[in-house]
Amino acid sequence: TAHIQYPQVEKETAISKKDGSEIRLPATLSKTILTDLVRNEMHYDGIIVTDALNMDAISQNFGETDACIRAIKAGVDICLMPTILRSKADMPKMDAILDGVEAAVNSGEISVDRINESVKRILSLKEKRGILNYTSDTRTYEEKLAVANEQVGSEQNRDIERNISAQAVTVIKNNDNILPLKPQAGQKVLLLGAYNNSGTRTWYETCDRRSHHQRKSRL
């Protein structure tokens, strides 16, 4: 979903938590668009995933917890990036969002049926993609949880993640065959990233065999 306003389709408004102004609901939070139009009129029964909810357009105007609650009520199955997590110190922010959604379910603001609809879609897709096998996997919940805790976020998990990312990059132009870069000793390459933590090990591994600290200092 996109955080775009369609005033000719979605008439509902909300009060911005940022400045108190009245704003139209964006498509991400619109039941009119996601349920009435996408689900009912277009008969789409796949998974609906939001764009990043930590974008200012959503987080500042609606608040992180309220944005997730509104998105789920609108028909969203997966709330993507509901907050910014840079370290374990940021985890309380995620806990607060989860607590808020749980409270909304317990109060009846979000129905259990609405949650179950999303759960079924997500599990069905995982089964279809071969991630889950309900007929042959006889492990208990505790056994599955132990495996998940061991694998998710592991070094092997991160290596696979980096490899997928690297293979997803597409070169549009390669003037004078400058790529792949092959810096020689004494040469420098300027690497620009969106964030100061965007440097990857892949970059260091493609450089010559000078020490990691020397290469990092040149960046």
Side-chain angles (χ1 to χ4, degrees):
T1 67
H3 310 327
I4 300 175
Q5 295 169 318
Y6 293 95
Q8 297 305 313
V9 179
E10 176 55 82
K11 305 296 184 180
E12 185 178 345
T13 62
I15 301 301
S16 169
K17 293 186 177 181
K18 179 181 179 181
D19 55 21
S21 62
E22 186 177 17
I23 56 177
R24 297 276 187 182
L25 286 183
T28 294
L29 309 181
S30 170
K31 185 175 181 180
T32 299
I33 293 175
L34 300 186
T35 295
D36 297 346
L37 178 59
V38 175
R39 294 287 190 208
N40 298 337
E41 186 173 334
M42 299 176 69
H43 305 293
Y44 174 72
D45 195 37
I47 289 179
I48 294 180
V49 186
T50 70
D51 200 347
L53 292 178
N54 58 23
M55 294 182 186
D56 287 349
I58 295 293
S59 61
Q60 291 191 13
N61 285 303
F62 297 93
E64 295 179 339
T65 299
D66 191 38
C68 284
I69 292 173
R70 286 177 176 269
I72 294 170
K73 290 169 64 177
V76 162
D77 299 305
I78 297 177
C79 296
L80 178 68
M81 298 168 62
T83 189
I84 297 176
L85 299 176
R86 293 193 176 95
S87 69
K88 290 184 178 180
D90 291 328
M91 285 306 297
K93 296 192 295 180
M94 181 64 77
D95 292 336
I97 294 172
L98 293 173
D99 290 343
V101 172
E102 184 178 4
V105 174
N106 291 335
S107 70
E109 182 179 0
I110 299 176
S111 70
V112 174
D113 288 342
R114 173 73 277 281
I115 297 295
N116 286 339
E117 289 171 4
S118 292
V119 172
K120 289 178 181 178
R121 289 192 190 101
I122 293 169
L123 293 180
S124 296
L125 181 61
K126 288 185 175 183
E127 182 182 31
K128 181 180 179 180
R129 299 299 183 188
I131 299 173
L132 298 176
N133 190 324
Y134 299 112
T135 57
S136 63
D137 191 345
T138 59
R139 294 174 300 170
T140 65
Y141 165 77
E142 289 74 15
E143 291 172 331
K144 293 178 182 179
L145 180 61
V147 172
N149 286 331
E150 179 181 349
Q151 292 182 351
V152 176
S154 65
E155 192 58 34
Q156 180 184 13
N157 183 281
R158 297 301 186 191
D159 284 342
I160 294 173
E161 180 183 86
R162 295 185 188 100
N163 188 42
I164 292 173
S165 299
Q167 292 188 41
V169 175
T170 300
V171 177
I172 304 300
K173 287 186 178 181
N174 190 16
N175 294 338
D176 300 322
N177 292 316
I178 194 173
L179 298 174
L181 297 176
K182 298 179 180 178
Q184 304 299 313
Q187 292 182 330
K188 300 178 181 178
V189 176
L190 176 62
L191 177 65
L192 301 178
Y195 303 100
N196 59 5
N197 65 349
S198 291
T200 67
R201 205 167 49 176
T202 302
W203 156 249
Y204 294 126
E205 291 170 351
T206 60
C207 292
D208 59 3
R209 294 300 180 181
R210 291 191 300 268
S211 74
H212 170 84
H213 293 293
Q214 285 179 317
R215 292 197 294 273
K216 190 172 182 180
S217 66
R218 287 186 171 87
L219 294 177

